[in-house]
Amino acid sequence: MNVLDIRNVTKTFGDFAAVDNMSLSVREGEIFGFLGANGAGKSTTIHMVSSLLKATKGDIEILGKNIAKFPRFAKANIGIVPQDLAIYEQLTAYENVRFFAGLYGLRGSLLQERTEEALEFVGLGDKAKSFPKSFSGGMKRRLNIACAIAHRPKLIIMDEPTVGIDPHSRNYILQSVRKLNEMGCTIIYTSHYMEEVEEICTRIAIVDHGKIIAEGTKEQLKAIVTDTKEIWIGVRSEEGVGIEALRSIPGIVSARIDDGMIKLQSKAEINNLNEIIQQLIRSRADIRSVEEQAPNLESVFLTLTGRNLRD
Amino acid sequence: MKIASIAWKEVVTTIRDRRAFLFMLAFPIVLMLILGSALSNAFTDSLSFDELKLAYTLEDQASPVESYWNGFSTSLASSGVAATALSAEADGQAAVKNGEYAAYAKIGSDGIAFYGSSKLTVESDILQAMLASFANRYSLAMAAASQAPDALPSLLAAAGSGTYVRETSLTADRAPNSMDYYAMAMSTMIAFYACMSATQLFRSEKLRHTALRLTAAPLSKGELFAGKIIGSTVINFVFVIAVVAFSRFVLGAEWGSHYGSVLLLLFTEVLLAVSVGVGASYLFKSDGGSSVVMMVTQIFSFIGGAYFPLSGMTGWWVWVAKLSPLYWINNALARIIYSDDVQAMWPTLLLNVILSVLFLSLCAAFMRKKEAL
Ligand SMILES: Nc1ncnc2c1ncn2[C@@H]1O[C@H](COP(=O)(O)OP(=O)(O)O)[C@@H](O)[C@H]1O
Ligand SMILES: [Mg+2]
């Protein structure tokens, strides 16, 4: 059964199409990754699914029911974790979660139970009576998640839930996503961090300019890049490394330097490793390591768009 | 139930906002103290007259009304009224016109003809009220006497004496002193200030991104709208009640004896203010709404009597002041408090409610059309 069906959906702002004739299905039990650069149209898509925006064209169904015809049914089955923190500073963690869960019709002792459960789940059980202003960025993010799950929605949509937080909180959140999934929730996970998406998602759609340019499991996506290979060369100093000269070597698709690591993409069928090394020796780079990387989502994105995900 | 949770959330978040607290409670009380004591000279502590001059003619000599009148005129003298008997031929009206007397009364067995001065209006009003209560008592005494004719003399004696002044509503001790006035004026001002926070009622949800959650929840726009309006009105009204209570019990300000009517009127004022604020936030798209509302509120407060007493307003100022809801409300409140005129509440109350409904329906229509909050 599909939890979500998006059919030929377009959303225009003025004459700019933020989402352009998109079609997409999410099956029950998936952790569906929605990967794309900033401005690709991820949030806009999510906002249409959660009835915050109306699609200009196309249909959206939640659990087989059209959201325009059954808005309450759709809304009741979705929990949304917004990209920006959406909590009240004047309410305690407990009051925040209880308030939002109450809007989904929970009452009395059940409301209290689910609120406590949600706070426990994100590891804020002992902070129930504290106000968000005493929280770290990661704790606020976790509260942001608790507010979306207390009513036990079938579909949880997370819009970049790990932006700007410490590694500890990030791991905590990624683990919570897996746990929620094990508990039976279907999850749509939006991110522009390909490592995260690669780590937890069972299926991934890559979005660019409002369109889905590739969709499938990690393995299926990586199979797209059989014709390119990725070469990483560690250097002691970035100075004097002639990136331009490397780019002009036959077969090289792209070259960049990132924290002492030269990252090259090259056509798979051309063996140009000798020329690359010679060029680096000429420019007196102090080579520390050379390795050929297995294809990752970054290279998939690069192959498909000719751009890097983070640019 | 969802409406109640939203209203509850509004109340709690406002109470915990220290700025709102200072602004809605400390500010009016401080102003009350400053204006109440600094401007106390602008108020006479009591209405006092050298002498209330009354001219009268007794038409039926040696009738029951005469003995009754005699009892009355002694009590008049002790209330500071100088009653002068004119002969039947004298022109009492002309004497009043000349300013010799504040009023002239022609007393007969079948009634009192009253002629008051058009210049000394306050004095003539007081005299008129006294004579009215005299006439009331007289007719009561006569009705009683028709049942028991023997008791007539003692009835008349009892009815004629006693005080008449207390029965009138213009007794001097019920005019406002400056603290009384500013307690009322600051309370109505702060009630209207509710419109400033109301401009942020929906904007703040947007700024905090919580609008997103509210819109994504299975909640109608109507429920959200009602919950927020109710919550905001309730908490602002609680602030007003606190200010009124403080002025009454700590500063000893006069609020009369019709608390129900006073509070009801203030409640409709808060509702009006919230409606105006929310209306403005829909009318002016960006943050312009709150600046406009801030300015309008200050102007309304200024011309409506928040800083200068209504009684000092004359001529064109009164006309300008009438544009301010605060003027209507202060006026109505003053009449409830000092003249026991509870009926004075209705026109203002109805106006407040009608305007609120108007503004709120406009906003609701706007809101329904909009895609997001
Ligand atoms: N309300 C809006 N009005 C106009 N343009 C918008 C609006 N919301 C989003 N956009 C534009 O639509 C594009 C997609 O935005 P968004 O969905 O937020 O991207 P993402 O979440 O993938 O970073 C961006 O170019 C953004 O500027
Ligand atoms: Mg986004």
Side-chain angles (χ1 to χ4, degrees), chain A residues 11 47 50 52-54 72 75-76 80-82 84-88 90-92 95 98-100 103-105 107 131 144 147-148, chain B residues 1-2 5-6 8-9 12-14 16-17 19 205 208-221 223 228 370-372:
Chain A
K11 178 71 192 180
H47 289 174
S50 32
L52 301 172
L53 291 173
K54 279 200 184 73
R72 281 209 180 219
K75 287 172 164 192
I80 181 162
V81 180
D84 304 293
L85 289 173
I87 49 182
Y88 297 105
Q90 288 92 3
L91 298 186
T92 63
E95 289 166 340
R98 192 188 54 186
F99 172 67
F100 288 116
L103 299 182
Y104 288 81
R107 291 281 164 262
F131 288 93
N144 204 34
C147 291
Chain B
M1 273 315 279
K2 289 177 189 174
S5 334
I6 292 166
W8 168 87
K9 191 273 297 177
V12 172
T13 49
T14 312
R16 291 187 187 155
D17 182 356
R19 270 174 316 165
E205 302 281 1
R208 284 194 209 108
H209 307 291
T210 39
L212 210 138
R213 282 218 152 97
L214 297 174
T215 322
L219 178 78
S220 71
K221 282 181 179 176
E223 285 173 307
K228 294 208 66 131
K370 267 174 83 173
E371 189 169 29

Coordinates of all heavy atoms in Angstrom, one line a residue, chain A residues 11 47 50 52-54 72 75-76 80-82 84-88 90-92 95 98-100 103-105 107 131 144 147-148, chain B residues 1-2 5-6 8-9 12-14 16-17 19 205 208-221 223 228 370-372:
Chain A
K11 N 3.9 23.3 -8.6 CA 3.6 24.5 -7.8 C 4.4 25.6 -8.3 O 5.6 25.6 -8.4 CB 4.1 24.2 -6.3 CG 3.8 25.4 -5.4 CD 2.4 25.6 -5.2 CE 2.1 27.0 -4.5 NZ 0.7 27.2 -4.2
H47 N 5.4 20.8 1.8 CA 4.3 21.7 2.3 C 3.0 21.4 1.5 O 1.9 21.5 2.1 CB 4.7 23.2 2.1 CG 5.8 23.6 3.1 ND1 6.4 24.8 3.0 CD2 6.3 22.9 4.1 CE1 7.3 24.9 4.0 NE2 7.3 23.7 4.7
S50 N 1.6 18.3 3.2 CA 0.9 18.5 4.5 C -0.1 19.7 4.5 O -0.4 20.3 5.5 CB 2.0 18.7 5.6 OG 3.1 19.4 5.0
L52 N 0.0 22.7 3.6 CA 0.3 24.1 3.9 C 0.3 24.9 2.6 O 0.1 26.1 2.7 CB 1.8 24.1 4.5 CG 2.0 23.3 5.7 CD1 3.4 23.3 6.1 CD2 1.2 23.9 6.9
L53 N 0.5 24.3 1.5 CA 0.3 25.0 0.2 C -0.6 24.1 -0.6 O -0.7 22.9 -0.5 CB 1.7 25.0 -0.5 CG 2.8 25.9 0.1 CD1 4.1 25.7 -0.6 CD2 2.4 27.4 0.1
K54 N -1.3 24.8 -1.6 CA -2.1 24.1 -2.5 C -1.3 23.9 -3.8 O -0.7 24.8 -4.3 CB -3.4 24.9 -2.8 CG -4.4 24.8 -1.7 CD -5.8 25.2 -2.3 CE -6.9 25.2 -1.2 NZ -6.7 26.3 -0.3
R72 N -8.8 16.5 6.5 CA -8.7 16.2 7.9 C -8.1 14.8 8.1 O -7.2 14.6 8.9 CB -10.0 16.2 8.6 CG -10.4 17.6 9.0 CD -11.3 17.7 10.2 NE -11.6 19.1 10.4 CZ -11.6 19.7 11.6 NH1 -11.4 19.0 12.7 NH2 -11.9 21.0 11.7
K75 N -4.4 15.2 7.1 CA -3.6 15.9 8.2 C -3.4 15.0 9.4 O -2.4 15.0 10.0 CB -4.3 17.2 8.5 CG -4.2 18.2 7.5 CD -5.1 19.4 7.8 CE -4.8 20.6 7.0 NZ -5.5 21.8 7.5
A76 N -4.5 14.3 9.8 CA -4.4 13.5 11.0 C -3.4 12.4 10.9 O -2.9 11.9 11.9 CB -5.8 12.9 11.3
I80 N 4.5 16.5 10.9 CA 5.5 17.2 10.2 C 6.6 17.8 11.1 O 6.2 18.4 12.1 CB 4.9 18.2 9.2 CG1 6.1 19.0 8.4 CG2 4.1 19.2 9.9 CD1 5.6 19.7 7.2
V81 N 7.8 17.6 10.8 CA 8.9 18.2 11.5 C 9.5 19.3 10.6 O 10.2 19.0 9.7 CB 10.1 17.2 11.8 CG1 11.2 17.9 12.6 CG2 9.5 16.0 12.6
P82 N 9.1 20.6 10.9 CA 9.5 21.6 10.0 C 11.0 21.9 10.0 O 11.7 21.6 10.9 CB 8.7 22.9 10.5 CG 7.7 22.4 11.5 CD 8.3 21.1 12.0
D84 N 12.5 24.8 10.0 CA 12.8 25.7 11.0 C 12.1 25.3 12.3 O 11.0 24.8 12.3 CB 12.3 27.1 10.7 CG 12.9 27.6 9.3 OD1 14.1 27.8 9.2 OD2 12.1 27.7 8.4
L85 N 12.8 25.5 13.4 CA 12.2 25.2 14.7 C 10.8 25.8 14.9 O 10.7 27.0 14.6 CB 13.1 25.7 15.9 CG 14.4 25.1 16.1 CD1 15.2 25.8 17.1 CD2 14.2 23.6 16.5
A86 N 9.8 25.0 15.2 CA 8.5 25.6 15.4 C 8.0 25.2 16.8 O 7.2 24.3 16.9 CB 7.6 25.0 14.3
I87 N 8.5 25.9 17.8 CA 8.1 25.6 19.1 C 7.9 27.0 19.9 O 8.3 28.0 19.4 CB 9.2 24.8 19.9 CG1 10.5 25.5 19.7 CG2 9.2 23.4 19.5 CD1 11.7 24.7 20.4
Y88 N 7.1 26.9 21.0 CA 6.9 28.2 21.7 C 7.9 28.3 22.8 O 8.1 27.4 23.7 CB 5.5 28.2 22.3 CG 4.4 28.1 21.3 CD1 3.7 27.0 21.0 CD2 4.1 29.3 20.5 CE1 2.7 27.0 20.0 CE2 3.1 29.3 19.5 CZ 2.4 28.1 19.3 OH 1.5 28.1 18.3
Q90 N 7.7 30.3 25.3 CA 7.1 30.5 26.6 C 6.4 29.2 27.2 O 5.8 29.3 28.3 CB 6.1 31.6 26.6 CG 6.6 33.0 26.4 CD 6.8 33.4 25.0 OE1 6.4 32.7 24.1 NE2 7.4 34.6 24.7
L91 N 6.5 28.1 26.4 CA 5.9 26.9 26.9 C 7.0 25.9 27.3 O 8.1 25.9 26.6 CB 5.0 26.3 25.9 CG 3.7 27.0 25.5 CD1 2.8 26.2 24.6 CD2 2.9 27.5 26.7
T92 N 6.9 25.1 28.3 CA 7.9 24.1 28.6 C 7.9 23.0 27.5 O 6.9 23.0 26.7 CB 7.6 23.4 29.9 OG1 6.3 22.7 29.8 CG2 7.5 24.4 31.1
E95 N 4.7 21.1 27.8 CA 3.5 21.9 27.3 C 3.5 22.1 25.8 O 2.4 22.0 25.1 CB 3.5 23.3 27.9 CG 3.1 23.3 29.4 CD 3.4 24.6 30.1 OE1 4.2 25.4 29.6 OE2 2.9 24.8 31.2
R98 N 2.4 18.7 24.4 CA 1.0 18.4 24.7 C 0.0 19.3 23.9 O -1.0 18.9 23.4 CB 0.7 18.7 26.2 CG -0.7 18.1 26.6 CD -1.0 18.5 28.0 NE -0.9 20.0 28.2 CZ -1.0 20.6 29.4 NH1 -1.2 19.9 30.5 NH2 -0.9 21.9 29.5
F99 N 0.4 20.6 23.7 CA -0.4 21.5 22.9 C -0.6 21.0 21.5 O -1.7 20.9 21.0 CB 0.2 22.9 22.9 CG -0.5 23.8 22.0 CD1 -1.8 24.2 22.2 CD2 0.2 24.3 20.8 CE1 -2.4 25.1 21.3 CE2 -0.5 25.1 19.9 CZ -1.8 25.5 20.2
F100 N 0.5 20.6 20.9 CA 0.4 20.2 19.5 C -0.3 18.9 19.3 O -1.1 18.7 18.4 CB 1.8 20.2 18.8 CG 2.3 21.6 18.5 CD1 3.5 22.0 19.2 CD2 1.7 22.4 17.7 CE1 4.0 23.3 18.9 CE2 2.1 23.7 17.4 CZ 3.3 24.1 18.1
L103 N -4.0 19.2 19.4 CA -4.6 19.7 18.2 C -5.0 18.5 17.3 O -5.8 18.6 16.4 CB -3.7 20.6 17.4 CG -3.3 21.9 18.1 CD1 -2.4 22.7 17.1 CD2 -4.5 22.7 18.5
Y104 N -4.5 17.3 17.6 CA -4.9 16.1 16.8 C -5.9 15.3 17.5 O -6.2 14.2 17.2 CB -3.6 15.2 16.6 CG -2.7 15.8 15.6 CD1 -1.8 16.8 16.0 CD2 -2.7 15.5 14.2 CE1 -1.0 17.5 15.0 CE2 -1.9 16.1 13.3 CZ -1.0 17.1 13.7 OH -0.2 17.7 12.8
G105 N -6.6 15.9 18.5 CA -7.7 15.3 19.2 C -7.4 14.4 20.4 O -8.3 13.8 20.9
R107 N -6.8 13.6 24.2 CA -7.4 14.2 25.4 C -6.9 13.4 26.7 O -6.6 12.3 26.6 CB -8.9 14.2 25.4 CG -9.5 15.1 24.4 CD -9.5 16.6 24.8 NE -9.8 17.5 23.7 CZ -8.8 18.1 23.1 NH1 -7.5 17.9 23.4 NH2 -9.1 18.9 22.1
F131 N 12.2 25.1 29.9 CA 11.8 25.9 28.8 C 12.9 25.8 27.7 O 14.1 25.7 28.0 CB 11.6 27.4 29.2 CG 10.4 27.6 30.1 CD1 10.5 27.6 31.4 CD2 9.2 27.9 29.4 CE1 9.4 27.8 32.2 CE2 8.1 28.1 30.2 CZ 8.1 28.0 31.6
N144 N 11.5 19.6 18.6 CA 10.8 19.9 17.3 C 10.3 18.6 16.8 O 9.2 18.6 16.2 CB 11.8 20.5 16.4 CG 11.1 21.4 15.3 OD1 10.1 22.0 15.5 ND2 11.7 21.4 14.1
C147 N 7.3 17.1 19.0 CA 6.0 17.8 18.8 C 5.2 17.2 17.6 O 4.0 17.4 17.4 CB 6.2 19.3 18.5 SG 6.7 20.2 19.9
A148 N 6.0 16.5 16.7 CA 5.4 15.9 15.5 C 5.0 14.5 15.6 O 4.3 14.0 14.7 CB 6.3 16.1 14.3
Chain B
M1 N -13.1 21.9 21.9 CA -12.0 21.6 22.8 C -10.7 22.1 22.2 O -9.8 22.6 23.0 CB -11.9 20.1 23.0 CG -12.7 19.6 24.1 SD -12.6 20.6 25.6 CE -11.1 20.0 26.3
K2 N -10.5 22.0 20.9 CA -9.3 22.5 20.3 C -9.3 24.0 20.4 O -8.2 24.6 20.6 CB -9.2 22.1 18.8 CG -9.0 20.6 18.6 CD -9.0 20.2 17.2 CE -9.0 18.7 17.0 NZ -9.1 18.3 15.6
S5 N -7.9 24.7 23.8 CA -6.5 24.5 23.9 C -5.7 25.7 23.3 O -4.7 26.2 23.9 CB -5.9 23.3 23.3 OG -6.9 22.3 23.2
I6 N -6.2 26.2 22.2 CA -5.6 27.3 21.6 C -5.7 28.6 22.4 O -4.7 29.3 22.6 CB -6.2 27.6 20.1 CG1 -5.7 26.4 19.3 CG2 -5.6 28.9 19.5 CD1 -6.5 26.3 18.0
W8 N -6.1 28.6 25.6 CA -5.2 28.4 26.8 C -3.8 28.7 26.5 O -3.1 29.4 27.2 CB -5.3 26.9 27.2 CG -4.3 26.5 28.2 CD1 -4.3 26.6 29.6 CD2 -3.0 26.0 27.9 NE1 -3.2 26.2 30.1 CE2 -2.3 25.8 29.2 CE3 -2.3 25.6 26.8 CZ2 -1.0 25.3 29.2 CZ3 -1.0 25.1 26.8 CH2 -0.4 24.9 28.1
K9 N -3.3 28.2 25.3 CA -2.0 28.5 24.9 C -1.7 30.0 24.8 O -0.7 30.5 25.2 CB -1.7 27.8 23.5 CG -0.3 27.8 23.0 CD 0.1 29.0 22.3 CE -0.6 29.2 21.0 NZ -0.2 30.5 20.3
V12 N -1.4 31.5 28.4 CA -0.2 31.1 29.1 C 1.0 31.8 28.4 O 1.9 32.3 29.2 CB 0.0 29.6 29.1 CG1 1.4 29.2 29.6 CG2 -1.1 28.9 29.9
T13 N 1.1 31.8 27.1 CA 2.3 32.4 26.5 C 2.3 33.9 26.8 O 3.4 34.5 27.0 CB 2.4 32.2 25.0 OG1 1.1 32.5 24.4 CG2 2.7 30.8 24.6
T14 N 1.2 34.5 26.9 CA 1.1 36.0 27.1 C 1.5 36.3 28.6 O 2.3 37.2 28.9 CB -0.2 36.6 26.9 OG1 -0.7 36.1 25.6 CG2 -0.2 38.1 26.9
R16 N 3.4 34.6 30.4 CA 4.9 34.4 30.7 C 5.8 35.3 29.9 O 7.0 35.2 30.0 CB 5.2 32.9 30.3 CG 4.6 31.9 31.3 CD 5.0 30.6 31.0 NE 4.3 29.6 31.8 CZ 4.1 28.3 31.5 NH1 4.6 27.9 30.3 NH2 3.4 27.5 32.3
D17 N 5.2 36.2 29.1 CA 6.0 37.1 28.4 C 6.2 38.4 29.3 O 5.2 39.1 29.5 CB 5.2 37.5 27.1 CG 6.0 38.5 26.2 OD1 7.1 38.9 26.7 OD2 5.6 38.8 25.1
R19 N 7.5 41.2 28.9 CA 7.3 42.5 28.4 C 5.8 42.9 28.4 O 5.4 44.0 28.8 CB 7.8 42.6 26.9 CG 9.2 43.0 26.8 CD 9.6 42.9 25.4 NE 9.2 41.6 24.9 CZ 9.1 41.3 23.6 NH1 9.5 42.2 22.7 NH2 8.7 40.2 23.2
E205 N 2.9 33.8 15.1 CA 2.9 32.4 14.7 C 3.7 32.1 13.5 O 4.4 31.1 13.4 CB 1.5 31.8 14.5 CG 0.6 32.0 15.7 CD 0.8 31.0 16.8 OE1 1.6 30.1 16.7 OE2 0.0 31.0 17.8
R208 N 7.5 32.6 14.3 CA 8.0 31.4 15.1 C 7.9 30.1 14.3 O 8.3 29.1 14.8 CB 7.2 31.2 16.4 CG 7.4 32.2 17.5 CD 6.8 31.6 18.7 NE 6.4 32.6 19.6 CZ 5.1 32.9 19.8 NH1 4.2 32.3 19.2 NH2 4.8 33.9 20.7
H209 N 7.3 30.2 13.1 CA 7.1 29.0 12.2 C 6.1 28.1 12.8 O 5.9 27.0 12.2 CB 8.4 28.3 12.0 CG 9.5 29.2 11.5 ND1 9.5 29.7 10.3 CD2 10.6 29.6 12.1 CE1 10.6 30.5 10.1 NE2 11.3 30.5 11.2
T210 N 5.5 28.4 13.9 CA 4.4 27.5 14.5 C 3.2 27.6 13.6 O 2.4 26.7 13.7 CB 4.1 27.9 15.9 OG1 4.1 29.4 16.0 CG2 5.2 27.4 16.9
A211 N 3.0 28.6 12.8 CA 1.9 28.7 11.9 C 1.8 27.4 11.0 O 0.8 26.9 10.7 CB 2.0 29.9 11.0
L212 N 3.0 27.0 10.7 CA 3.2 25.8 9.9 C 2.5 24.6 10.5 O 1.8 23.8 10.0 CB 4.7 25.6 9.7 CG 5.2 24.9 8.5 CD1 6.4 25.7 8.0 CD2 5.5 23.5 8.9
R213 N 2.8 24.4 11.8 CA 2.3 23.3 12.6 C 0.8 23.4 12.7 O 0.0 22.4 12.6 CB 2.9 23.2 14.0 CG 4.2 22.6 14.0 CD 4.4 21.7 15.3 NE 5.3 20.7 15.0 CZ 6.6 20.8 15.4 NH1 7.0 21.8 16.0 NH2 7.4 19.8 15.0
L214 N 0.3 24.7 13.0 CA -1.1 24.9 13.2 C -1.9 24.6 11.9 O -3.0 24.1 12.0 CB -1.3 26.3 13.6 CG -0.7 26.7 15.0 CD1 -0.9 28.2 15.3 CD2 -1.4 25.9 16.1
T215 N -1.3 25.0 10.8 CA -1.9 24.7 9.5 C -1.9 23.3 9.1 O -2.9 22.8 8.5 CB -1.3 25.6 8.4 OG1 -0.9 26.8 8.9 CG2 -2.2 25.8 7.2
A216 N -0.9 22.6 9.5 CA -0.7 21.2 9.2 C -1.6 20.3 10.1 O -1.9 19.1 9.7 CB 0.7 20.7 9.3
A217 N -2.1 20.8 11.2 CA -2.9 20.0 12.1 C -4.3 19.9 11.6 O -4.8 20.8 10.9 CB -2.9 20.6 13.5
P218 N -5.1 18.9 12.0 CA -6.5 18.8 11.5 C -7.3 19.7 12.3 O -8.0 19.3 13.3 CB -6.8 17.3 11.8 CG -5.9 16.9 12.9 CD -4.6 17.7 12.7
L219 N -7.3 20.9 11.9 CA -7.9 22.0 12.7 C -8.4 23.0 11.7 O -7.7 23.3 10.7 CB -6.7 22.6 13.5 CG -6.9 23.8 14.3 CD1 -7.6 23.4 15.7 CD2 -5.6 24.5 14.7
S220 N -9.7 23.4 11.8 CA -10.2 24.4 10.8 C -9.7 25.8 11.1 O -9.3 26.1 12.2 CB -11.7 24.4 10.8 OG -12.2 25.0 12.0
K221 N -9.6 26.6 10.1 CA -9.2 28.0 10.3 C -10.1 28.7 11.3 O -9.6 29.5 12.1 CB -9.2 28.7 9.0 CG -8.0 28.4 8.1 CD -8.1 29.2 6.8 CE -6.9 28.8 5.9 NZ -6.9 29.5 4.6
E223 N -11.6 27.4 13.9 CA -11.3 27.0 15.3 C -10.0 27.8 15.7 O -10.0 28.3 16.8 CB -11.0 25.5 15.3 CG -12.2 24.6 15.3 CD -11.8 23.1 15.2 OE1 -11.0 22.8 14.3 OE2 -12.3 22.3 16.0
K228 N -7.8 31.9 19.1 CA -6.8 32.9 19.3 C -7.5 34.2 19.8 O -7.0 34.9 20.7 CB -6.0 33.2 18.1 CG -5.1 32.0 17.7 CD -3.9 32.4 17.0 CE -3.0 33.3 17.8 NZ -1.6 32.9 17.8
K370 N -7.1 33.3 2.2 CA -5.7 33.1 2.1 C -5.3 31.7 2.1 O -5.9 30.8 2.8 CB -5.0 33.8 3.3 CG -4.6 35.2 3.0 CD -4.1 36.0 4.1 CE -2.6 35.7 4.4 NZ -2.1 36.6 5.5
E371 N -4.2 31.4 1.5 CA -3.7 30.0 1.3 C -3.1 29.5 2.7 O -3.6 28.6 3.3 CB -2.7 29.9 0.2 CG -2.3 28.5 -0.1 CD -1.4 28.4 -1.3 OE1 -0.7 29.3 -1.6 OE2 -1.5 27.4 -2.0
A372 N -2.1 30.2 3.1 CA -1.5 29.9 4.4 C -2.2 30.8 5.5 O -3.2 31.4 5.2 CB 0.0 30.1 4.4

